[in-house]
Amino acid sequence: MPVFEYAPAPESRAIANLKDAYKPFVNGEFVDGSGEPLKTINPATEEVLAEVGTASKSDVDIAVKAARKAFTGVWSKMPGTERAKYLFRIARLIQERSRELAVLESLDNGKPIKESRDSDVPTAAAHFFYHAGWADKLDYAGYGPSPRPLGVAGQIIPWNFPLLMLAWKIAPALATGNTVVLKPAETTPLTALVFAEICQQAELPPGVVNILPGAGDIGASIVEHGDIDKIAFTGSTEVGKAIQRQVAGTPKKLTLELGGKAANIVFEDAPLDQAVEGIVNGIFFNQGHVCCAGSRLLVQESIAEEVLEKLRYRVSTLRIGDPLDKNTDIGAINSAEQLAKIRGLVEAGDAEGAQRWTSPCPVPDRGFFFAPTVFANVHQSMRIAREEIFGPVLSVLTFRTPDEAVAKANNTPYGLSAGIWTEKGSRILWMANQLRAGVVWANTFNRFDPTAPFGGYQESGFGREGGRTGLEAYLNV
Amino acid sequence: MTATTSTSAAPATPAPLVDATRDDASLRRFLLGLPGVDQVGVEQRAAGLGTRSIKKDAKRWAIDTAISMVDLTTLEGADTRGKVRALAAKAVRPDPERQDTPRVAAVCVYPDMVATAVEALKGSGVHVASVATGFPAGRTSREIKLADTKIAVEAGAHEVDMVIDRGAFLEGRYMDVFEEIRAIKAACGDAHLKVILETGELATYDNVRRASWLALLAGGDFIKTSTGKVSPAATLPVTHIMLQAVHDWHVQTGELRGVKPAGGIRTTKDAIKYLVAVHEVAGEPWLTPDLFRFGASSLLNDLLLQRRTQVDGHYSGPDYVTVD
């Protein structure tokens, strides 16, 4: 029997125009930050990609001053039609430099090129296009005759979708007339700094966008800075809670987009083969580094065996490896630290008696990789059913009735997303009303669009990003 | 009316599924109880698999495999013995200047041309397939369909491509379709039966899945998308559903059945996308002419041109392959 070997099709890393060193971006210029430089590595090879200058507390102050000056002097006074021009220009520049951004993102983050190329970068551009359209229509957005921007927004984004999360934060802030100081994640600062180049190319007025690489202490300095009007954070629930404590009692507005443990609910009348695709996409997209990942599969008991069998077969066809190869379905885990966390939780699953199955796919020897893993016989009382694993690990639970599905799906401190798989339209509507989750997908999973608001319940945070609702978070209404 | 009286020579339904075909009501329940197909999902998956990278060695392997899976087909009112002989010659030696080119799987003709094809292909190992059963509409009586089949088989056809009664299927008379397939299968004797679903006329993916299972239950050795006379003919999403059906059939019964997309597959690039689907949806065991075929008339020349391009390192042009 011949074996169908696909030809390796790696993108050239030269497309990324990788430089040896990157610097913080303040007041329209790349500046020497006074923090300790950090080295960002390629998680697929563990090689150092570049040295990145970081900010210190004093740099945060300089950046906030620049943002304040840009806000009062230029940006908030500018007519919406003019702001829209800049946003459209940024959107087009992201498209023009999309290959460079996609390759750089895959190098720095470890995600497969087909995802950075087909999902992250185009969706980032789409957010700028969408919000550009709002910039001159805010008076008609339903918030009253003349909604005002808040001022300077401090934004802190995670490492799982570095460029896309930047777009989710910066596009609505700029469209509504705010200026920003943004901190990208410590392990994935590169595309944010190329985005800073794009701001220069777009001739964005100095100070409107400031980007400060650094670790958690810089994030904390942004949060506690007295002249910031709004904090937007996407990241872990733990850090989100700390931020909320810090902001409490100040006039700062806050939105938090935190962790999740989403239920992907499959009924016995579901389109099973597509449900299996949706389960795979729900948990293995971006190596499971997705806050709204469908990490808890709730499958009706009557079809549990069949679904598991189909799922294992499908998962065994996923290809793990070089993120720059377009045949790669699953790339690298972003950091050694994250890999250790995943391993720890998987061991907990074993210890608690869940039945572990790991894909037999070959895994590279070098770099941070974790083979796709499915736990069967998982119960609500196990850690792997309750804690966010943030990796390619699926926990499979069963239910008997729609009510039980709702009860189990809602039995979590989180509430970011959920999926429903059934051919019965009335059940979809009934379930969607019962589920405490910010996004409920029906017969699909992990679909994103700038027009659809995204955000959580409970420990998944509050506030919405995207859509008309998302604008509200950056407006005085 | 029972399923067994008229079709005693057809193979029995595998044990795990025997209840599905007990009577009209149970067959209906079984088919309507199959999981639905979500259109958006299946089309997305088909599009996604179309982007695998097949180059160099992988491409050479894929081209040769695709050539060996071609059912070289002529189904025209104007078919003559001369045309069939020419096609047979090409089937055995697709590229006369490249003797290492694999031969195709079969030559597919109308029943009255089977004898000519058998004669021309004697000893070559290339099978003769014949579209029997009132091809392509199938709108004739059961007697005539059976007679058509017998003519083809007696003339030496190794494979029979039958069309199902789409009218009966769309009316919901599943048992009639089932029994007709069983009857034709019995009439085939040792010949392999490929059941043409004409998916373009079944209209929905749910129907494609039901028809696939119906044909498998009735003993079809292959399920085939189209006659090539109806548009749309073969598409990647439809083929995905059929590949999924034979995979699921294998899981349930242990039996291996084949899939044949036909009509509209003209380029090497398209053919390779189908092979990727075979590999990833049905699985590696299906990457053989015994279990996967392309029904095509013009695909072969593009495969040959691309094969030369791979082997010679340059493109030679359409005048370097034969026109038959």
Side-chain angles (χ1 to χ4, degrees), chain A residues 1-10 114 117-118 268-277 281 303 306 309-310 313-314 317-319 325-329 421-423 442-447, chain B residues 35-42 44-45 48-49 51-59 61-62 65 206 209 241 244 247-248 251-252 272 275-288:
Chain A
M1 176 59 55
V3 180
F4 198 175
E5 284 281 7
Y6 302 154
K114 71 174 183 186
R117 182 195 60 197
D118 300 343
E268 59 190 1
D269 69 340
L272 285 193
D273 295 321
Q274 288 73 49
V276 167
E277 288 304 305
N281 182 40
I303 52 161
E306 190 183 352
E309 190 170 352
K310 278 176 177 283
Y313 173 72
R314 177 68 180 90
T317 67
L318 292 173
R319 302 160 66 92
D325 188 336
K326 78 166 189 171
N327 294 309
T328 294
D329 297 314
W421 297 83
T422 170
E423 293 263 278
N443 290 338
T444 188
F445 210 92
N446 271 349
R447 301 268 107 207
Chain B
V37 180
D38 186 77
Q39 181 183 340
V40 176
V42 73
Q44 216 171 355
R45 164 107 156 113
L49 277 188
T51 66
R52 294 295 197 201
S53 148
I54 315 296
K55 296 183 293 194
K56 299 183 179 118
D57 287 354
K59 190 164 182 181
W61 181 87
T65 306
D206 287 333
R209 167 169 292 193
I241 290 167
Q244 193 80 56
H247 174 85
D248 292 344
V251 169
Q252 290 202 26
I272 289 176
L275 289 184
V276 172
V278 173
H279 183 214
E280 297 204 29
V281 180
E284 208 171 282
W286 274 265
L287 284 169
T288 150

Side-chain angles (χ1 to χ4, degrees), chain B residues 23-246:
Chain B
D23 55 31
D24 198 28
S26 43
L27 181 59
R28 186 179 186 76
R29 264 199 307 276
F30 177 82
L31 294 176
L32 297 183
L34 289 167
V37 180
D38 186 77
Q39 181 183 340
V40 176
V42 73
E43 289 175 0
Q44 216 171 355
R45 164 107 156 113
L49 277 188
T51 66
R52 294 295 197 201
S53 148
I54 315 296
K55 296 183 293 194
K56 299 183 179 118
D57 287 354
K59 190 164 182 181
R60 288 180 62 169
W61 181 87
I63 288 172
D64 278 5
T65 306
I67 291 172
S68 74
M69 290 170 164
V70 166
D71 281 3
L72 201 55
T73 301
T74 182
L75 297 170
E76 290 164 20
D79 282 346
T80 59
R81 282 171 290 181
K83 159 116 196 191
V84 170
R85 285 192 200 106
L87 211 60
K90 175 140 183 169
V92 181
R93 254 186 321 282
D95 188 343
E97 290 158 37
R98 300 283 185 285
Q99 293 289 342
D100 60 344
T101 311
R103 53 176 175 68
V104 304
V107 167
C108 182
V109 295
Y110 274 116
D112 64 331
M113 287 293 163
V114 169
T116 309
V118 168
E119 170 69 28
L121 289 168
K122 198 183 289 171
S124 69
V126 176
H127 284 188
V128 175
S130 176
V131 289
T133 67
F135 185 91
R139 301 223 76 112
T140 181
S141 68
R142 174 101 35 111
E143 288 74 22
I144 289 174
K145 291 178 185 176
L146 285 167
D148 212 12
T149 309
K150 281 196 182 104
I151 289 166
V153 175
E154 277 164 18
H158 308 96
E159 299 169 4
V160 170
D161 291 27
M162 78 168 282
V163 290
I164 65 163
D165 183 345
R166 282 87 78 193
F169 183 89
L170 292 170
E171 274 182 22
R173 291 189 281 115
Y174 302 128
M175 190 49 94
D176 287 354
V177 181
F178 174 80
E179 287 186 337
E180 188 157 290
I181 299 170
R182 301 262 302 169
I184 304 286
K185 170 73 185 164
C188 281
D190 291 336
H192 268 64
L193 178 64
K194 306 197 198 94
V195 183
I196 304 172
L197 311 178
E198 195 63 290
T199 52
E201 289 183 348
L202 300 183
T204 68
Y205 291 128
D206 287 333
N207 274 346
V208 172
R209 167 169 292 193
R210 284 178 199 134
S212 300
W213 276 88
L214 185 55
L216 294 170
L217 283 166
D221 297 294
F222 261 79
I223 45 179
K224 174 174 168 186
T225 59
S226 329
T227 59
K229 308 286 183 193
V230 168
S231 182
T235 67
L236 264 177
V238 156
T239 309
H240 267 67
I241 290 167
M242 294 165 67
L243 288 166
Q244 193 80 56
V246 294

Side-chain angles (χ1 to χ4, degrees), chain A residues 88-383:
Chain A
F88 277 124
R89 219 181 274 167
I90 290 171
R92 287 194 302 267
L93 285 164
I94 291 175
Q95 289 183 322
E96 273 172 30
R97 299 179 70 169
S98 59
R99 276 186 82 198
E100 175 192 353
L101 287 165
V103 174
L104 189 61
E105 194 81 314
S106 284
L107 280 174
D108 202 17
N109 169 279
K111 63 176 67 205
I113 186 75
K114 71 174 183 186
E115 290 175 9
S116 51
R117 182 195 60 197
D118 300 343
S119 176
D120 291 41
V121 177
T123 316
H127 272 266
F128 280 96
F129 278 119
Y130 173 78
H131 285 96
W134 270 121
D136 60 350
K137 300 175 193 70
L138 297 172
D139 292 352
Y140 314 101
Y143 301 122
S146 179
R148 307 301 309 154
L150 299 173
V152 177
Q155 307 181 319
I156 299 156
I157 56 170
W159 49 260
N160 58 342
F161 291 94
L163 184 69
L164 184 59
M165 290 301 106
L166 172 146
W168 281 27
K169 296 274 184 292
I170 292 186
L174 296 195
T176 46
N178 300 275
T179 56
V180 305
V181 175
L182 176 135
K183 186 193 90 68
E186 200 178 349
T187 58
T188 57
L190 297 184
T191 45
L193 296 168
V194 171
F195 178 81
E197 288 176 27
I198 288 175
C199 292
Q200 284 185 328
Q201 260 182 297
E203 293 174 5
L204 194 71
V208 173
V209 167
N210 303 277
I211 294 173
L212 302 179
D217 55 325
I218 296 308
S221 306
I222 291 174
V223 171
E224 70 192 14
H225 197 284
D227 198 28
I228 280 184
D229 302 289
K230 185 218 159 78
I231 297 292
F233 172 77
T234 295
S236 73
T237 295
E238 189 191 340
V239 176
K241 284 179 178 173
I243 290 175
Q244 193 175 4
R245 267 183 230 111
Q246 219 169 8
V247 168
T250 73
K252 281 178 199 159
K253 295 215 176 189
L254 177 64
T255 46
L256 296 174
E257 201 265 90
L258 310 174
K261 191 74 187 173
N264 204 357
I265 306 160
V266 180
F267 286 95
E268 59 190 1
D269 69 340
L272 285 193
D273 295 321
Q274 288 73 49
V276 167
E277 288 304 305
I279 295 162
V280 167
N281 182 40
I283 184 63
F284 299 117
F285 179 69
N286 204 35
Q287 299 76 248
H289 301 328
V290 184
C291 46
C292 55
S295 52
R296 269 190 306 152
L297 174 63
L298 291 177
V299 53
Q300 198 154 9
E301 264 190 52
S302 53
I303 52 161
E305 272 312 305
E306 190 183 352
V307 167
L308 267 172
E309 190 170 352
K310 278 176 177 283
L311 185 64
R312 288 182 190 127
Y313 173 72
R314 177 68 180 90
V315 174
S316 66
T317 67
L318 292 173
R319 302 160 66 92
I320 187 168
D322 178 7
L324 287 189
D325 188 336
K326 78 166 189 171
N327 294 309
T328 294
D329 297 314
I330 296 188
I333 303 300
N334 184 245
S335 63
E337 190 192 357
Q338 185 59 28
L339 185 60
K341 275 190 199 163
I342 295 169
R343 288 198 174 128
L345 274 157
V346 164
E347 278 159 23
D350 290 337
E352 287 167 338
Q355 186 191 336
R356 192 212 299 201
W357 175 89
T358 302
S359 169
C361 66
V363 177
D365 330 319
R366 212 158 54 122
F368 314 131
F369 288 92
F370 195 85
T373 296
V374 176
F375 274 108
N377 291 338
V378 177
H379 305 293
Q380 290 286 91
S381 53
M382 296 175 177
R383 274 181 76 194

